[in-house]
Amino acid sequence: QGVQIILDALTSHEKQHMSDENMPLRQYRADKGNIPQAIRKIKATIQWRQDFNVEDIKRCFRDRNNPDLPIEKQKELNHLAEVIAKENETGKIYIRGYDLEGRAILYLTPGLENSRCEIDNMRHLVYHLERAIACTRHKSGRQKVCIVIGYQGFRVENAPPMSVVKHTLQILQGHYPERMYR
């Protein structure tokens, strides 16, 4: 019933831009049944996904040379793919394996930080979150992923800036509710 109220509060445009059909249920659970808060947050997340170009981040490697897309879109996707590849050089975030129930395991290793560009760091994080979610959905049909944070090699000199840490937590808590298993 609460999920239906949330769905009814969304415009058709917002419904088209939900990450998946279970997004309202996850938000309802995360907000412990507080429907007005869940509506406000799901609308904010849908807007954030559009503003942050999450769909482009998800498909940048697959579609960057797609001849069916306009050349400008191909350039945008190619730029995103280059940014993510650069951020990925040290292996500071990667997905490897599954837990016993089929949830993808996402590893975050802040000691391997290799850049200071916050927006690129966040694009890299979102790319891997979306990949982990897709892997989990494919493997087990589940919705949550396991996140492991490893602090090997972590020193103050190579630590991500505090703004990156805060932005990471904001994205995980605010835009991926009920997605983290452990």
Side-chain angles (χ1 to χ4, degrees):
Q1 180 181 342
V3 172
Q4 189 58 52
I5 294 169
I6 294 169
L7 277 171
D8 291 344
L10 300 177
T11 66
S12 60
H13 176 77
E14 289 168 331
K15 288 176 187 172
Q16 289 174 350
H17 289 91
M18 291 191 319
S19 59
D20 66 5
E21 68 279 353
N22 293 315
M23 189 179 187
L25 176 59
R26 285 191 306 274
Q27 193 66 60
Y28 180 72
R29 286 181 185 159
D31 290 319
K32 297 176 178 39
N34 184 332
I35 294 172
Q37 182 172 311
I39 291 169
R40 184 175 37 77
K41 286 184 176 179
I42 197 169
K43 285 176 173 278
T45 292
I46 291 168
Q47 186 62 53
W48 172 82
R49 290 179 69 83
Q50 291 174 327
D51 294 345
F52 203 68
N53 295 320
V54 173
E55 291 305 315
D56 284 351
I57 290 170
K58 285 170 52 175
R59 68 186 187 133
C60 65
F61 288 100
R62 182 187 69 224
D63 288 345
R64 65 182 173 172
N65 297 315
N66 183 341
D68 296 333
L69 294 175
I71 195 76
E72 285 305 311
K73 179 52 85 175
Q74 288 180 42
K75 287 180 182 179
E76 289 174 32
L77 294 175
N78 194 51
H79 173 71
L80 279 171
E82 288 172 1
V83 163
I84 292 166
K86 177 71 176 156
E87 290 290 325
N88 207 43
E89 285 177 347
T90 62
K92 63 185 173 184
I93 301 176
Y94 61 94
I95 303 158
R96 180 147 315 128
Y98 298 89
D99 71 3
L100 294 175
E101 295 180 6
R103 295 178 196 89
I105 303 172
L106 177 65
Y107 294 87
L108 307 178
T109 313
L112 297 176
E113 184 56 61
N114 64 333
S115 76
R116 293 287 181 215
C117 180
E118 185 170 328
I119 193 74
D120 290 348
N121 266 299
M122 295 307 103
R123 287 176 177 145
H124 184 237
L125 171 70
V126 167
Y127 174 79
H128 283 286
L129 276 169
E130 293 288 338
R131 293 303 314 139
I133 291 165
C135 289
T136 297
R137 186 181 309 119
H138 178 75
K139 174 86 171 175
S140 66
R142 295 185 179 277
Q143 296 184 48
K144 295 184 179 190
V145 299
C146 294
I147 297 181
V148 176
I149 302 174
Y151 287 99
Q152 63 272 18
F154 184 83
R155 294 183 311 281
V156 173
E157 308 88 65
N158 64 351
M162 187 54 70
S163 62
V164 170
V165 174
K166 287 180 181 178
H167 202 166
T168 298
L169 291 174
Q170 177 191 19
I171 287 173
L172 290 172
Q173 292 173 340
H175 302 302
Y176 290 90
E178 296 288 309
R179 285 293 196 180
M180 288 155 274
Y181 181 63
R182 291 187 184 172

